[in-house]
């Protein structure tokens, strides 16, 4: 089968098989995985999502470092290929999506039955493969951790990326007033189409001045929930907008700069700071994660949320997908689609 194999750590934007590339050539002769247990399910992957964590992982910069060689990739969707004798929920041909620590950048992946979810009729498999990590992260962060309520003000940094765009949409489903921060006219226009109440171009405007002007015009005091997958200076500026009792959701550090939030200020302001590592919920709180994903699929089927696919690539072109992510060209999700011609908004 085809698989993207990381043979050494390095720059994932280099084409597979090159001398300096971390990836081995995609040759079609990678061994297909066998069913590992009676409750195992083998899935033929139709589409798999590229997340920033995977970009870091291939470079050896993520908190979880698989042993070499490994096949990267986390959330995916496809068709059931084979099932173990104890599997009761699925049969060959069923449409499913799932998540894994590694392994989805391949034609086939094996997962336990408990790690898979049925894809509702009418839901596109590429969209289903894009949902778990991005929308799952935002749903757990906003609904479960911050308990976002109607009328509260949500500030989303990096709002045009996969997790950021999902946070904007989930914020609107919750009835929040959403301020979205991104860079570039195209991204700001997209954020308006998914419901952002106010958009800020961080490459041209002061977040503080723009947000304060909007809040004043709306008769609002400040921000109740900060959703932050970026870090760095944007975080420091955003802290100055927070209300007493605000929630700070630490999602990631796409800027490469881990911000410092002074504990004495958090104490005086009664802020609650949440670290959110979505993948660990499968280990520590699986029922919470399962309920979250089920609600998201319900919202998706009702049209309450929409998944924007920015770029799609075939497996041998995965380095181009990583480059689109690195260069922040994506407006929504970047996907790897198996056995399908590449499409791109570039």
């Amino acid at each position: 089968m085809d698989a993207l194999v990381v043979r050494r750590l390095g720059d994932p934007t280099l084409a597979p098989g090159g001398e300096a590339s971390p990836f081995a050539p995609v040759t079609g002769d990678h061994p297909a995985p066998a069913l590992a247990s009676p409750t195992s399910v083998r899935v033929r992957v139709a589409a798999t999502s590229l997340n920033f964590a995977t970009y870091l992982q291939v470079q050896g910069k993520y908190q979880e470092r698989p042993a070499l060689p490994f096949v990267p990739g986390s959330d995916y969707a496809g068709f059931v290929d084979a099932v173990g004798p104890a599997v009761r929920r699925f049969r060959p041909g069923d449409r499913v999506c799932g998540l894994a620590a590694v392994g989805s950048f391949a034609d086939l992946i094996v997962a336990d039955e408990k790690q898979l979810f049925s894809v509702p009729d009418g839901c596109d498999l590429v969209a289903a493969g894009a949902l778990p990590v991005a929308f799952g992260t935002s749903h757990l962060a906003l609904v479960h951790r911050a308990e976002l309520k109607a009328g509260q003000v949500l500030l989303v940094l990096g709002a045009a990326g996969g997790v950021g765009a999902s946070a904007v949409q989930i914020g609107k489903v919750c009835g929040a007033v959403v301020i979205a921060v991104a860079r570039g006219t195209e991204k700001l226009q997209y954020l308006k189409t998914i419901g952002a109440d106010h958009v800020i171009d961080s490459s041209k405007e002061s977040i503080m001045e723009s947000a304060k002007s909007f809040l004043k015009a709306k008769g609002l005091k400040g921000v109740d929930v900060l959703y932050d997958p970026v870090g760095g200076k944007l975080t420091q500026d955003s802290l100055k907008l927070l209300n007493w009792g605000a929630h700070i959701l630490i999602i990631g550090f796409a800027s490469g700069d881990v911000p410092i939030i002074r504990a004495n200020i958090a104490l005086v302001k009664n802020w609650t700071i949440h670290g959110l590592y979505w993948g660990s919920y499968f280990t520590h709180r699986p029922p919470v994660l399962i309920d979250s994903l089920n609600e998201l699929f319900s919202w998706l089927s009702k049209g309450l949320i929409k998944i924007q696919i920015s770029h799609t690539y075939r497996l041998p072109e995965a380095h181009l997908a990583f480059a689109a992510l690195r260069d922040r060209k994506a407006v929504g999700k970047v996907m790897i689609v198996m056995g399908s011609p590449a499409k791109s908004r570039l």
Side-chain angles (χ1 to χ4, degrees):
M1 68 171 189
D2 281 344
L4 187 70
V5 179
V6 178
R7 57 187 177 179
R8 66 172 72 90
L9 301 178
D11 182 356
T13 67
L14 299 176
E19 184 177 347
S21 174
F23 304 121
V26 179
T27 58
D29 59 0
H30 192 76
L35 296 176
S37 74
T39 57
S40 287
V41 177
R42 188 166 64 199
V43 177
R44 182 164 294 279
V45 177
T48 181
S49 175
L50 176 57
N51 298 298
F52 193 70
T54 305
Y55 174 74
L56 294 176
Q57 193 174 56
V58 175
Q59 299 174 79
K61 296 179 179 179
Y62 195 58
Q63 55 258 35
E64 293 181 351
R65 298 187 180 187
L68 293 169
F70 69 92
V71 175
S74 52
D75 42 349
Y76 59 92
F79 298 93
V80 172
D81 178 72
V83 299
V87 172
R88 298 292 177 262
R89 294 173 50 222
F90 303 108
R91 59 185 179 183
D94 284 351
R95 292 163 17 110
V96 296
C97 75
L99 54 142
V102 292
S104 66
F105 281 30
D107 285 330
L108 296 165
I109 186 171
V110 171
D112 191 83
E113 180 180 24
K114 295 183 294 184
Q115 296 175 310
L116 295 173
F117 301 83
S118 294
V119 175
D121 291 340
C123 178
D124 178 73
L125 282 176
V126 178
L131 182 140
V133 170
F135 279 81
T137 294
S138 295
H139 185 273
L140 282 181
L142 296 171
V143 177
H144 179 64
R145 299 292 291 276
E147 298 180 343
L148 183 65
K149 297 176 179 60
Q152 289 188 316
V153 178
L154 168 65
L155 174 59
V156 180
L157 306 183
V163 290
S166 68
V168 170
Q169 294 188 62
I170 291 170
K172 295 310 298 178
V173 174
C174 294
V177 176
V178 178
I179 301 173
V181 181
R183 297 168 64 91
T185 303
E186 181 187 6
K187 293 180 179 180
L188 297 189
Q189 290 299 322
Y190 164 63
L191 291 169
K192 291 177 182 178
T193 69
I194 60 173
D197 297 282
H198 181 62
V199 295
I200 302 173
D201 188 338
S202 59
S203 67
K204 298 178 181 178
E205 303 175 82
S206 161
I207 290 180
M208 284 188 60
E209 291 179 8
S210 182
K212 283 184 175 180
S213 177
F214 169 77
L215 292 168
K216 183 178 180 180
K218 294 292 183 180
L220 299 166
K221 292 182 178 179
V223 171
D224 300 296
V225 178
L226 170 61
Y227 184 94
D228 183 10
V230 177
K233 185 177 185 299
L234 285 182
T235 304
Q236 300 299 336
D237 290 344
S238 300
L239 295 178
K240 299 170 186 176
L241 296 166
L242 299 187
N243 282 332
W244 182 96
H247 291 262
I248 301 170
L249 295 162
I250 306 299
I251 307 301
F253 314 106
S255 69
D257 184 0
V258 178
I260 296 173
I261 302 174
R262 293 175 57 186
N264 62 323
I265 302 298
L267 183 153
V268 172
K269 296 280 191 175
N270 273 59
W271 290 341
T272 303
I273 303 171
H274 305 269
L276 197 289
Y277 175 31
W278 181 81
S280 64
Y281 269 79
F282 236 133
T283 301
H284 300 286
R285 296 278 161 65
V288 174
L289 186 146
I290 291 168
D291 288 347
S292 170
L293 288 177
N294 285 332
E295 181 164 53
L296 284 169
F297 273 115
S298 173
W299 287 358
L300 184 63
S301 64
K302 294 174 182 176
L304 296 176
I305 56 175
K306 297 179 181 180
I307 298 174
Q308 167 81 359
I309 305 300
S310 179
H311 301 69
T312 64
Y313 297 94
R314 292 182 297 112
L315 198 59
E317 301 167 321
H319 61 292
L320 301 177
F322 282 103
L325 196 69
R326 177 200 62 190
D327 298 338
R328 302 185 182 183
K329 293 179 178 178
V331 182
K333 290 292 295 180
V334 177
M335 301 295 293
I336 304 296
V337 178
M338 303 300 175
S340 175
K343 301 174 185 177
S344 173
R345 292 182 53 172
L346 285 178

